[in-house]
Amino acid sequence: MTIDQMRRELQRRLKRSRFAHSIGVANTAVALAKKFGVDETQAYVAGLLHDCAREFENDELPAQAESRGIEIGEVERALPLLLHAYIGAKMVAEVYGVNDAQIQQAIYRHTVGAANMTALDKIIYFADMIEPNRNYPGVENLRALVDKNSLDEILLTALGESIIFVVQKNSLVHPSTVAARNYLLLNRTK
Ligand SMILES: [Fe+2]
Ligand SMILES: [Fe+2]
């Protein structure tokens, strides 16, 4: 598929607000890719398609995961929405013909993160939090990080904010988010 065909297919499958969010993440990811020296086409495609599995309702996600051989951990069992990232990583090949393993990994990791994230993984994770349609307390502070911080420092703050957010809701912290943050701290260059 061409990028234009991907966009049209995604638009057909997602509800309007989710599609607008996807375009926002794609454009934000390209801006971050320019700044941090990442391939802009990979950033655009990964950003565009990161939420492609949101075409399913939340209660459909466990069956959609199982049908693709995705193992459902105990946190995902409690929070099935998290599965959309893993399902999306498979759907980009199935539906959109994207066989780029780096794009698939960035989509897989976009919700809870992972240890040892690539620059592309980090860009998609962060673009998802700050794209222009996002509106929550503190989003401006996250957007402002881009000007004078390294990608690792940006992500350290973003992961910390995500953890604080779920803790304040009394929700589960996914172990991959802790692993992502610990990895950055343990490998921080001083
Ligand atoms: Fe998502
Ligand atoms: Fe998203």
Side-chain angles (χ1 to χ4, degrees), residues 15-136:
K15 67 175 204 227
R16 189 186 294 265
S17 58
R18 181 66 48 189
F19 180 72
H21 163 69
S22 302
I23 296 291
V25 174
N27 291 332
T28 302
V30 169
L32 293 169
K34 277 196 180 115
K35 181 164 174 72
F36 295 110
V38 168
D39 185 275
E40 292 171 35
T41 305
Q42 284 183 317
Y44 188 87
V45 172
L48 181 70
L49 299 178
H50 79 286
D51 271 345
C52 69
R54 296 296 295 270
E55 71 170 70
F56 301 117
E57 299 297 333
N58 291 354
D59 61 3
E60 298 177 285
L61 291 171
Q64 290 295 331
E66 272 158 11
S67 76
R68 291 173 173 82
I70 295 166
E71 210 188 309
I72 303 179
E74 59 183 355
V75 176
E76 287 82 1
R77 187 67 66 190
L79 301 171
L81 180 62
L82 299 179
L83 294 168
H84 81 276
Y86 317 144
I87 297 167
K90 303 246 185 201
M91 282 180 71
V92 290
E94 291 165 20
V95 177
Y96 300 90
V98 176
N99 294 304
D100 181 328
Q102 296 177 329
I103 292 175
Q104 292 169 0
Q105 177 177 285
I107 293 173
Y108 189 95
R109 293 177 164 184
H110 87 265
T111 306
V112 295
N116 198 9
M117 292 167 84
T118 65
L120 181 65
D121 298 342
K122 291 168 187 164
I123 279 175
I124 300 305
Y125 183 93
F126 189 61
D128 191 26
M129 291 180 80
I130 63 154
E131 63 92 7
N133 298 290
R134 290 289 202 200
N135 184 15
Y136 54 86

